[in-house]
Amino acid sequence: MASEFFILGLTTDGRQFRPSDWAERLCGVMSCFRPEGSGGRNAHLQYSPLVRPIMINGVRAVVVSETLREVEPMAYNFVVNFAKDNKLQVVDACLVPEPGEKKS
């Protein structure tokens, strides 16, 4: 089982999802859901390490850690249902850091 999944900014019929900043908005809403003790003093100014925006081959996407389900099941269900309700493509995967980059 993958430890993460991606929500792609493409609908199931291949159309680009709008608005263009959807990933940042979704991650902003989820920013308070994080593992206990992470984030420090300025945690409210950062995306959660469990739900973060990325670009995949020029497509906006959100990486969601399965850990979110343990931290806050309702937040996990919100993210999953957001993808379903908007008919977004969801891919089970694991983000591999670039060489020299720390995995968050």
Side-chain angles (χ1 to χ4, degrees):
M1 182 171 128
S3 61
E4 299 173 322
F5 62 91
F6 301 159
I7 300 172
L8 301 177
L10 295 173
T11 60
T12 53
D13 62 2
R15 293 187 201 155
Q16 188 170 359
F17 185 63
R18 298 282 181 206
S20 62
D21 65 344
W22 73 270
E24 291 80 5
R25 290 181 187 201
L26 178 60
C27 292
V29 169
M30 295 286 115
S31 65
C32 62
F33 301 107
R34 57 183 60 247
E36 192 167 322
S38 71
R41 241 178 58 192
N42 294 319
H44 65 286
L45 300 175
Q46 304 167 357
Y47 293 125
S48 169
L50 304 178
V51 184
R52 56 200 193 282
I54 61 167
M55 291 288 282
I56 300 175
N57 296 328
V59 175
R60 290 196 185 283
V62 171
V63 179
V64 180
S65 172
E66 290 288 341
T67 304
L68 180 62
R69 187 189 325 232
E70 298 162 20
V71 171
E72 181 48 66
M74 289 177 62
Y76 179 86
N77 289 334
F78 175 84
V79 172
V80 169
N81 287 325
F82 174 86
K84 285 180 185 175
D85 293 346
N86 290 291
K87 298 182 174 97
L88 297 177
Q89 296 178 25
V90 177
V91 180
D92 286 333
C94 184
L95 189 62
V96 178
E98 296 290 327
E101 177 186 345
K102 283 184 176 181
K103 184 166 167 112
S104 55

